[in-house]
Each structure stands twice: as structure tokens, then as C-alpha cells.
């Protein structure tokens, strides 16, 4: 027995040693070899602007406390825009190529990239764009180019914007699955598909106004770049008069209908490169990494903090794709206490989420305002809870195509009584008190519980409107008139008083600097997300340390994963929600 015990102990010891050795080697390799060296920028180089792997403004900073390791990513949209600005002054960069780009960026983000490219062109350097197929969103970005190329067998999509909603009332009646709805706000249409079989007049009104505002913003930018009137652009869209490459060229939307090899030859000619030679290229992310590691910081001790609030709002730490109470409140507190930080710009790209968490972040902003100014810069979305955390800022900036407002709250309570009854499944409850059983998906919603839930919704709506009224210096009645869950574009929001100025993140930073009377400053990005060792190994691709989300994404693909993620978000919503009234899919 002692012999077997010694053998077993030896085997266990060897196993532990191998595991420690494996993790030790892997960890050392990750720390010292995990980050690749910067790609050299050769003279007469062209940046390839591929935005397909970028979805958020902020790539994130991560603190792995267990291993005392700090990691900062540089592949967010803010890094890309910073890189384009640096390329304008870089003698080694001669131009930017947009080649078959297919991004997941929102309209406001596309507008920010366009603005950076417009500024880049002022240097006299070129921006060329080529596509096999232009979607409207990609054409909006590519239209900024000096010369636009389209494949002779390609297609051009230019037809205007539309949005489609699905309705589930009859589906619920047929299968016995019912969503109990508690809401305040006639425009709070997230719940409308469960109540009706068609769109309400109020919802149609707000979606129509929103689409028209976004479309007009797009047309204004395209008109300026292509020197085509918006009236003419609308005619082209109505008649689908640019649906083929030849028609698109005839209408002035593209310049050349050729194959990709001609596109590259044209770039070679500008660079004086022989037809048989390759010209130097560098990807935008590689160049952004170079800029991040070599750019000289301002010598000023003054700083402006940029705090990014990206994704659904909820409890917990949060991440680059979600606004967490932990990271947001900690960021505001750290920026508030740092005497070198003179002002704070809160960059919001969020459809909202949990009402309680939104209020906790609002409170932290309220405390911060007493010490230093807080300026809000709205990205694609700052709606419902996203607007809740913006409303008390000193000044609010939005892009003209930002989706904002949606001041309203709702609750959804799924009920399976009809379904389970049809299946012959019944439930019984035993309680000590009248309201002890609370709510069950297997019992019809009682009038008493519905009354209590509606009371909670009304209380939060009243609080929400009061917060906005105080922050925007309006009366409760004035806010209520433009609230009710209605969404507004940035242009419309400016007219009704929900935002102060139209402009992007740079405009907000300049304003913040002027407010505290500083000419030179550094920027410091927040949040710094706190992670554990398992998260770190998963991010490096260690198979058994990868998250379940990573595995699912690899198996089903990026687009299908978005659908799964949307279902997961709906299922995880607890408590009253201050969330965008509907999933906006604009085509």
C-alpha cells in the first residue's frame, strides 16, 4: 500500500510540475513575446484602412491584479482616428487606401472617420477607395475619397433608409406565450410588438422622423464630397439610378469602373513605383500601434479624462462592450480625485439598460460636477439609460446623426401559463403571506402585482424626467412633452433642448479645455477594467481558458452570435429598464 501511495504521489507531483512548467513558459512567452513588435513604416507608404475588426470607440485598458499585469489595447476607433491625424503629418505616409472595407461601425462612428479623412486630405495626400460592392453605409464612408473605384461586375446600393419591425401578438395568442407589459411613454415601443400586430401612429411618427434626419445627414456629407445636390441624390435614390457600376459612374457617385489591378496601378503611378513592383502598405491597426508607442506626449501636466461608456448598462464590473457600475463609478472617482485632471469628457455609446445602475452612475457624475466640469460626447447612441447618465453634464455634444432621447421606462414579464396549460402542465403555490409568492411565469399576473409593478415604473419615470429637467434647466412638463420614450436624432435633439452643441469627441475636448482655460493638455482614457488571470489566458487563446462566448462565436460566426447575444441581453434584464425602445436595424 505504501508503494502504491508513493507511486500515486509521484504521478501527482509530476502532473503538478508539468502544469506549473506549462503555465510558466506560456505566461513568460505571453508577457515578453505576446505583443508583436511594431511594423516598420517605410518611406512612400500607403495606409490600408480596413475597419472590419473595429466596433467600439475604446479598445480598453485591463488590470490583471492576480498577476500584477497591465494591458492596454490600441485597436479601437479612437486609436484609428488618432492614427489618421498622425498620418497627415507623417512624411513617410503618402496616402490612404480604402479597399473593400466592410465595417460594423455605426453611422456616427462612420461620420467621425469621414471627418478625419477630410482633414487628412488637406495635407495634399490622396485617399482612394475601391469596392466590389457598395452598401449604402460603406459608400457613405468611401464617398470622402478623392477617387472612387467600383468593380465592373459589382453593384451599388443607394436607395434611402428603411427599418423593419416584427410583431408577435398573434404568435403569443397561438402558442400561449405572453409578455406582460408595464410601461410609461407612448413612444416606448420596445414592448409594442407584444401588444399589437401593427405599428402605432406614434411609433411610425418617431421612426419616420429619425430615418429622415439620419438620411439627410448622410446626403449632406455625400453632397459636399461629390459636389452633387441633395435634391439630385434623392432622385438617384428614388429611381435606383445608380444600381449598376455604369449608372453609378454616369450619376457621378463613382469615378472609375475598373478591376482592382487598375486601382493598384493608379496608386503605383502616384508613388512612382514600377508596374511590376509592389508599393509599401501598412494596415491602419499596425500604424495605430506605432502611433500609440512612439507619439510624443504633450509636456503639459494638465490632463483631460475621457471616460468611455459603451454598450448596455448593467451591474457588475463591465467591459468594453458593456457599461458596468463598478468600472464607471471607479473611473469617475479616480478622475475626480486626480488633481492633474482638469475636466472630464464622458463619451457615451449606449442604448441604456438597468434603471438603477443608470441612476447610480448619474449620482457619481453629480458628485464629480461639484469638483470639475463634466462634458458629454454622444456617439452612435445615447438613448434612455444612455441619456440618463448624460442629462446632468455641464454641456452635451452630439453628432447630427446620434440617436438619443428615449426618456421612458418599461418592464417585461414573460408568462407561460397558456403554453403550459396546453401541454397539461399546472402549478400550485404555497405561501405564508398574501404577497409572498410574488411573480411566477406559470401563473397569470395578478392585478395587485401589476399595480405594484406599474407603481415602480411610474416612480422611475418621474425620477428620470426630474433628473433631465434639473440637468437641462427645464420644467417637468417641458421634458415630459418631449419624453414619453421618443427617440430623436442629434439634429432634432438640439432643437428640443436635449443637447447643447453638434460636434464629435474632438469638439467636446476642445470645449472642455476652453472651459478650464488650458491650451495644452494630455488625455487619459478610462475605464481600467479589473480582470483575473483566467480572463488573461482566455484573451491569449488558451483553449481551456477561453470564454464560452468565444467558443460560441467561433462555432456560429459573428453575425449569428449577435442574434444570440441579443436574446441573452433580453433574458438578463432584471428590474425596471431605461433602455432604447426598439432594436434599430436601419437598411
Amino acid at each position: 500500500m505504501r508503494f502504491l501511495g508513493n507511486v500515486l504521489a509521484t504521478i501527482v507531483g509530476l502532473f503538478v510540475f508539468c502544469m506549473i512548467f506549462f503555465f510558466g513558459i506560456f505566461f513568460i512567452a505571453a508577457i515578453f513575446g505576446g505583443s508583436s513588435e511594431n511594423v516598420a513604416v517605410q518611406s512612400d507608404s500607403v495606409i490600408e484602412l480596413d475597419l472590419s475588426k473595429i466596433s467600439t470607440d475604446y479598445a480598453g485598458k485591463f488590470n490583471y491584479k492576480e498577476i500584477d499585469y497591465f494591458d492596454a489595447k490600441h485597436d479601437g476607433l479612437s486609436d484609428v482616428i488618432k492614427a489618421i491625424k498622425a498620418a497627415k503629418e507623417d512624411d513617410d505616409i503618402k496616402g490612404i487606401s480604402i479597399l473593400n472595407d466592410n465595417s460594423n461601425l455605426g453611422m456616427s462612428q462612420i461620420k467621425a472617420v469621414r471627418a478625419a479623412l477630410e482633414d487628412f486630405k488637406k495635407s495634399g495626400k490622396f485617399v482612394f477607395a475601391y469596392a466590389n460592392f457598395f452598401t449604402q453605409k460603406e459608400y457613405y464612408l468611401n464617398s470622402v475619397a478623392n477617387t472612387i473605384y467600383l468593380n465592373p461586375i459589382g453593384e451599388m446600393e443607394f436607395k434611402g433608409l428603411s427599418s423593419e419591425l416584427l410583431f408577435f401578438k398573434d404568435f403569443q395568442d397561438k402558442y400561449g406565450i405572453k409578455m406582460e407589459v408595464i410601461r410609461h411613454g407612448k413612444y416606448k415601443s420596445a414592448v409594442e410588438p407584444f401588444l399589437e400586430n401593427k405599428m402605432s401612429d406614434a411609433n411610425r411618427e418617431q421612426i419616420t422622423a429619425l430615418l429622415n434626419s439620419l438620411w439627410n445627414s448622410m446626403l449632406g456629407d455625400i453632397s459636399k464630397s461629390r459636389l452633387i445636390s441633395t435634391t439630385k441624390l434623392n432622385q438617384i435614390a428614388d429611381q435606383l439610378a445608380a444600381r449598376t457600376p455604369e449608372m453609378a459612374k454616369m450619376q457621378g457617385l463613382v469615378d472609375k469602373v475598373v478591376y482592382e489591378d487598375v486601382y493598384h496601378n493608379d496608386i503605383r503611378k502616384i508613388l512612382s513605383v514600377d508596374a511590376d513592383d509592389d508599393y509599401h502598405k501598412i494596415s491602419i491597426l499596425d500604424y495605430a500601434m506605432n502611433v500609440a508607442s512612439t507619439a510624443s506626449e504633450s509636456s503639459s501636466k494638465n490632463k483631460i479624462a475621457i471616460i468611455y461608456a459603451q454598450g448596455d448598462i448593467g451591474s457588475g464590473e463591465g467591459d468594453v462592450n458593456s457599461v458596468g457600475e463598478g468600472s464607471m463609478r471607479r473611473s469617475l472617482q479616480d478622475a475626480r480625485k486626480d488633481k492633474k485632471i482638469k475636466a472630464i469628457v464622458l463619451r457615451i455609446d449606449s442604448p441604456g439598460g438597468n434603471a438603477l445602475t443608470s441612476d447610480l452612475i448619474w449620482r457619481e457624475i453629480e458628485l464629480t460636477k461639484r469638483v470639475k466640469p463634466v462634458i458629454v460626447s454622444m456617439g452612435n447612441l445615447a438613448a434612455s439609460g444612455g441619456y440618463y447618465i448624460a442629462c446632468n453634464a455641464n454641456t452635451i455634444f452630439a453628432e447630427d446623426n446620434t440617436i438619443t432621447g428615449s426618456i421612458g421606462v418599461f418592464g417585461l414579464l414573460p408568462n407561460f401559463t397558456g403554453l403550459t396549460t396546453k401541454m397539461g402542465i399546472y402549478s400550485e403555490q404555497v405561501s405564508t403571506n398574501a404577497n409572498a409568492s410574488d411573480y411566477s411565469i406559470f401563473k397569470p399576473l395578478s392585478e395587485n402585482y401589476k399595480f405594484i409593478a406599474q407603481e415602480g415604473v411610474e416612480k422611475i419615470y418621474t425620477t428620470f424626467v426630474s433628473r433631465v429637467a434639473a440637468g437641462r434647466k427645464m420644467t417637468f412638463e417641458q421634458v415630459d412633452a418631449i419624453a414619453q420614450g421618443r427617440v430623436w436624432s442629434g439634429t432634432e435633439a438640439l432643437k428640443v433642448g436635449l443637447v447643447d452643441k453638434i460636434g464629435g469627441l474632438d469638439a467636446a475636448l476642445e470645449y472642455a479645455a476652453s472651459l478650464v482655460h488650458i491650451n495644452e493638455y494630455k488625455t487619459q482614457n478610462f475605464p481600467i477594467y479589473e480582470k483575473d488571470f483566467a480572463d488573461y489566458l482566455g484573451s491569449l487563446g488558451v483553449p481551456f481558458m477561453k470564454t464560452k462566448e468565444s467558443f460560441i462565436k467561433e462555432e456560429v460566426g459573428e453575425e449569428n452570435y449577435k442574434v444570440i447575444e441579443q436574446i441573452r441581453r433580453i433574458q438578463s434584464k432584471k428590474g425596471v429598464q431605461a433602455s432604447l425602445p426598439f432594436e434599430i436595424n436601419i437598411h
Side-chain angles (χ1 to χ4, degrees):
M1 290 296 292
R2 180 175 296 178
F3 171 75
L4 290 176
N6 290 337
V7 170
L8 182 61
T10 301
I11 293 173
V12 171
L14 286 171
F15 176 77
V16 171
F17 172 78
C18 289
M19 291 298 292
I20 292 173
F21 178 78
F22 170 78
F23 278 115
I25 294 297
F26 192 91
F27 181 63
I28 291 170
I31 295 296
F32 295 103
S35 56
S36 58
E37 293 183 5
N38 289 353
V39 176
V41 183
Q42 301 183 54
S43 61
D44 295 335
S45 288
V46 175
I47 290 176
E48 292 188 317
L49 188 69
D50 179 3
L51 304 175
S52 59
K53 296 180 180 179
I54 301 167
S55 58
T56 59
D57 291 336
Y58 176 51
K61 296 179 181 178
F62 306 89
N63 182 21
Y64 300 93
K65 283 193 167 182
E66 292 172 314
I67 54 177
D68 192 26
Y69 180 62
F70 181 84
D71 186 24
K73 304 292 185 182
H74 298 290
D75 55 0
L77 188 64
S78 60
D79 301 294
V80 167
I81 291 174
K82 185 177 180 181
I84 294 173
K85 290 178 181 178
K88 179 184 177 183
E89 310 298 333
D90 189 340
D91 292 336
D92 289 330
I93 300 297
K94 300 303 180 184
I96 294 176
S97 167
I98 312 173
L99 180 61
N100 287 317
D101 183 55
N102 183 22
S103 76
N104 296 312
L105 300 176
M107 296 302 293
S108 181
Q109 292 172 312
I110 292 288
K111 188 179 182 72
V113 178
R114 284 185 98 263
L117 292 172
E118 282 281 15
D119 184 62
F120 174 85
K121 285 163 56 179
K122 293 177 183 177
S123 66
K125 302 176 182 182
F126 68 85
V127 175
F128 278 10
Y130 182 93
N132 291 322
F133 173 86
F134 275 126
T135 65
Q136 287 189 127
K137 186 177 76 170
E138 298 310 327
Y139 180 74
Y140 176 47
L141 172 64
N142 285 254
S143 65
V144 75
N146 300 95
T147 308
I148 303 174
Y149 297 71
L150 182 57
N151 188 303
I153 313 300
E155 293 181 54
M156 176 83 177
E157 182 184 75
F158 195 79
K159 59 186 181 181
L161 303 180
S162 68
S163 185
E164 184 178 43
L165 300 180
L166 298 179
F167 295 84
F168 310 105
K169 184 177 182 298
D170 283 358
F171 175 85
Q172 294 178 110
D173 295 340
K174 182 176 180 179
Y175 292 101
I177 301 173
K178 184 178 181 182
M179 298 298 289
E180 300 284 2
V181 174
I182 301 159
R183 64 172 173 170
H184 185 113
K186 64 180 180 179
Y187 293 100
K188 209 65 182 172
S189 50
V191 295
E192 189 175 271
F194 303 110
L195 302 174
E196 306 291 344
N197 282 325
K198 64 178 184 178
M199 193 180 298
S200 67
D201 292 340
N203 194 16
R204 184 173 295 277
E205 174 192 350
Q206 72 165 342
I207 294 177
T208 300
L210 179 65
L211 290 179
N212 282 329
S213 184
L214 298 181
W215 178 241
N216 289 334
S217 173
M218 281 182 63
L219 290 188
D221 291 335
I222 294 171
S223 174
K224 182 179 177 181
S225 295
R226 299 301 300 172
L227 301 178
I228 305 172
S229 71
T230 56
T231 301
K232 178 64 175 176
L233 288 171
N234 270 316
Q235 290 175 355
I236 295 170
D238 288 339
Q239 299 166 12
L240 298 179
R243 61 185 180 273
T244 68
E246 293 77 13
M247 294 172 75
K249 182 181 178 183
M250 185 173 63
Q251 297 293 351
L253 295 183
V254 303
D255 299 296
K256 295 189 179 184
V257 177
V258 295
Y259 287 100
E260 187 181 326
D261 58 287
V262 177
Y263 171 78
H264 291 297
N265 282 335
D266 283 357
I267 293 178
R268 287 188 181 96
K269 290 175 184 177
I270 293 177
L271 301 175
S272 299
V273 173
D274 292 339
D276 295 331
D277 295 334
D278 289 332
Y279 59 90
H280 302 308
K281 310 180 192 75
I282 183 169
S283 76
I284 187 64
L285 291 183
D286 285 338
Y287 189 74
M289 179 61 75
N290 279 349
V291 171
S293 59
T294 61
S296 58
E297 285 281 351
S298 166
S299 59
S300 174
K301 293 182 179 180
N302 297 321
K303 294 190 288 186
I304 294 179
I306 306 175
I307 302 178
Y308 291 87
Q310 305 175 149
D312 285 359
I313 298 174
S315 59
E317 173 66 11
D319 207 331
V320 291
N321 294 307
S322 63
V323 183
E325 173 195 340
S327 58
M328 284 300 297
R329 293 180 71 187
R330 187 172 64 251
S331 298
L332 286 161
Q333 290 166 6
D334 290 346
R336 186 167 73 227
K337 294 172 184 176
D338 189 337
K339 293 182 179 180
K340 293 181 181 179
I341 293 176
K342 306 303 180 183
I344 296 167
V345 173
L346 178 62
R347 174 69 171 182
I348 301 174
D349 189 359
S350 171
N354 185 274
L356 173 59
T357 303
S358 299
D359 192 69
L360 292 172
I361 296 171
W362 172 91
R363 175 59 180 171
E364 209 63 59
I365 294 170
E366 196 70 8
L367 295 173
T368 304
K369 273 173 54 184
R370 298 174 186 176
V371 180
K372 55 192 68 172
V374 177
I375 312 302
V376 160
S377 168
M378 294 180 173
N380 294 316
L381 290 165
S384 208
Y387 188 77
Y388 198 126
I389 65 174
C391 69
N392 60 331
N394 295 88
T395 306
I396 300 177
F397 282 75
E399 296 281 15
D400 54 10
N401 56 3
T402 295
I403 297 172
T404 188
S406 187
I407 301 167
V409 293
F410 70 91
L412 283 177
L413 301 171
N415 192 281
F416 297 158
T417 305
L419 176 64
T420 54
T421 300
K422 289 179 181 180
M423 296 173 65
I425 300 172
Y426 304 92
S427 70
E428 292 289 339
Q429 297 172 332
V430 179
S431 306
T432 59
N433 293 81
N435 297 303
S437 61
D438 201 28
Y439 159 74
S440 169
I441 62 172
F442 301 113
K443 287 288 185 182
L445 191 65
S446 70
E447 288 301 316
N448 183 51
Y449 186 81
K450 190 172 183 178
F451 171 81
I452 294 170
Q454 185 69 48
E455 185 179 63
V457 166
E458 296 298 334
K459 178 183 177 182
I460 292 177
Y461 178 77
T462 300
T463 302
F464 194 169
V465 172
S466 299
R467 300 280 194 244
V468 176
R472 303 302 302 160
K473 296 179 174 56
M474 301 166 71
T475 66
F476 185 95
E477 290 73 23
Q478 286 174 322
V479 176
D480 189 44
I482 58 174
Q484 302 292 327
R486 176 162 181 168
V487 294
W488 306 87
S489 69
T491 301
E492 294 172 315
L494 179 65
K495 295 175 182 177
V496 299
L498 293 178
V499 306
D500 298 295
K501 297 176 183 292
I502 298 297
L505 179 58
D506 285 346
L509 285 167
E510 289 174 11
Y511 181 82
S514 68
L515 206 61
V516 293
H517 309 293
I518 56 175
N519 295 320
E520 292 189 2
Y521 58 88
K522 303 175 186 177
T523 58
Q524 183 172 343
N525 292 338
F526 294 89
I528 300 172
Y529 303 104
E530 294 186 348
K531 300 290 183 179
D532 57 31
F533 185 51
D535 293 324
Y536 179 71
L537 292 177
S539 70
L540 294 174
V542 181
F544 47 86
M545 287 296 182
K546 293 173 80 171
T547 63
K548 62 180 183 295
E549 288 82 4
S550 299
F551 278 116
I552 295 171
K553 192 178 294 185
E554 287 178 4
E555 291 300 317
V556 305
E558 188 75 33
E559 290 300 316
N560 292 327
Y561 179 75
K562 289 179 182 177
V563 177
I564 296 171
E565 183 66 11
Q566 183 180 343
I567 295 170
R568 186 196 64 78
R569 289 200 305 267
I570 293 172
Q571 291 176 331
S572 66
K573 292 184 185 297
K574 297 180 180 179
V576 178
Q577 299 296 306
S579 189
L580 188 68
F582 49 89
E583 187 77 16
I584 296 182
N585 293 308
I586 298 175
H587 307 286

